[in-house]
Amino acid sequence: MGQRIHFVVDPQGWCCMGLIIFVWLYNTIFIPKVILFPHYEEGNISVVAVFCYYFCSLFCVASLFRASVADPGKLPENPEIPITEREHWELCNKCNMMRPKRSHHCSRCGHCVRRMDHHCPWINNCVGEDNHWLFLQLCFYTQILSSYTLILDFCHYYYFLPLKKENWDVFVFRHELALLRISAFMGLIILGGISRLFYTQLMGIFTDTTSIEKMSNCCEDISRPQKPWQQTFSEVFGTHWKILWFIPFRQRQPLRVPYYFANHV
């Protein structure tokens, strides 16, 4: 079953996502042109380093686009509620629709989302049950790509041998220092912000609590069974195969878990 496309009409989200794409394009174009290819031609680095950089860049942008257009778990207008599960549903006081518990109404998108974590302007989409795994992959590969870029910026000036063949008629090499300083500045900003976000996301999965639930403190006085971290991660990524947790080019299949576990709030 294919994943539904979800497109949010939000100019603010378009601007935020456009900024992310600009940073990705900047580093994907200039870092190989200034550092990777010249040092590879002179034998300072191997082809593996070049391949790994493009590998991280591809997985980063793939998870970005998939997280931004994937349906986060939007509820249909007239959901069919099984008789045995009606006690686990509630009425939304904003859109007057029945929804499973742990769902939340997104005021920016205008509908309820199953197990909504938060609305992220950087992907112009909600982070919910069906695209949370893609958002985690985006955070993970963004950290790797930013760290890799910062390491290359540092090595270019303090570790690699000076380049012997430089074409100073090319704009990139004439403004090399400025371009790399911009790259390092953006890398530090993104790495610092995304690392903090990724940590809070991981802690939320370990405790089986969404960001909205943390802010509303709705889980403090409710006793609930504790699940092992392997189960909570498998439910988010839709598979028990841990190697598949890192691959954005696949379809997520929800795991069948006891309803009490899945809707205990």
Side-chain angles (χ1 to χ4, degrees):
M1 182 176 63
Q3 194 172 26
R4 292 181 298 176
I5 301 298
H6 183 259
F7 184 76
V8 180
V9 180
D10 182 8
Q12 179 184 351
W14 295 343
C15 293
C16 292
M17 191 171 176
L19 181 61
I20 295 298
I21 295 176
F22 167 77
V23 175
W24 176 82
L25 285 173
Y26 184 95
N27 287 312
T28 303
I29 294 175
F30 287 117
I31 292 300
K33 192 173 185 64
V34 176
I35 300 177
L36 288 176
F37 292 148
H39 284 285
Y40 168 71
E41 292 175 356
E42 297 191 5
N44 296 330
I45 60 176
S46 66
V47 68
V48 177
V50 180
F51 174 79
C52 289
Y53 190 85
Y54 278 109
F55 174 86
C56 295
S57 181
L58 174 63
F59 274 53
C60 181
V61 74
S63 56
L64 170 64
F65 277 109
R66 291 207 61 193
S68 65
V69 300
D71 184 358
K74 178 182 177 181
L75 291 169
E77 295 184 359
N78 297 309
E80 296 182 2
I81 307 175
I83 298 178
T84 58
E85 298 179 359
R86 287 184 177 177
E87 61 180 299
H88 301 291
W89 287 62
E90 61 186 7
L91 181 67
C92 175
N93 58 6
K94 294 182 179 179
C95 60
N96 295 321
M97 290 179 52
M98 294 299 295
R99 66 185 187 186
K101 293 184 177 181
R102 303 196 75 182
S103 300
H104 185 77
H105 185 91
C106 178
S107 58
R108 188 169 290 274
C109 295
H111 54 73
C112 290
V113 177
R114 295 192 311 272
R115 204 179 185 279
M116 177 178 169
D117 188 84
H118 67 285
H119 182 91
C120 179
W122 300 107
I123 64 172
N124 192 33
N125 200 358
C126 290
V127 177
E129 182 177 275
D130 291 343
N131 70 339
H132 197 177
W133 65 286
L134 290 167
F135 183 74
L136 290 171
Q137 289 182 352
L138 172 61
C139 294
F140 176 75
Y141 287 114
T142 300
Q143 288 183 98
I144 294 180
L145 186 61
S146 299
S147 301
Y148 201 169
T149 300
L150 290 172
I151 291 173
L152 289 174
D153 290 340
F154 176 84
C155 292
H156 179 67
Y157 278 105
Y158 300 105
Y159 182 76
F160 292 148
L161 295 174
L163 294 174
K164 300 176 182 178
K165 300 178 181 179
E166 293 183 334
N167 187 359
W168 295 102
D169 295 329
V170 179
F171 172 84
V172 172
F173 287 102
R174 284 189 295 166
H175 302 276
E176 172 190 356
L177 181 60
L179 293 172
L180 292 181
R181 283 179 175 176
I182 294 174
S183 173
F185 175 77
M186 293 189 299
L188 288 172
I189 296 297
I190 293 179
L191 181 61
I194 207 71
S195 297
R196 184 172 181 271
L197 176 61
F198 188 57
Y199 173 78
T200 58
Q201 289 292 304
L202 291 180
M203 291 300 101
I205 297 178
F206 277 118
T207 58
D208 194 20
T209 308
T210 65
S211 298
I212 293 178
E213 292 167 350
K214 289 179 181 178
M215 292 186 292
S216 60
N217 297 322
C218 66
C219 304
E220 291 184 348
D221 300 326
I222 299 178
S223 60
R224 59 185 181 181
Q226 296 294 325
K227 294 183 288 187
W229 69 269
Q230 295 94 334
Q231 181 177 349
T232 57
F233 273 85
S234 297
E235 291 174 8
V236 170
F237 286 94
T239 178
H240 292 290
W241 293 89
K242 295 181 177 58
I243 187 64
L244 297 180
W245 295 357
F246 300 91
I247 301 177
F249 308 102
R250 66 179 179 87
Q251 296 295 332
R252 175 185 178 274
Q253 298 296 332
L255 294 180
R256 294 185 178 274
V257 297
Y259 200 84
Y260 178 70
F261 276 109
N263 301 274
H264 54 259
V265 176

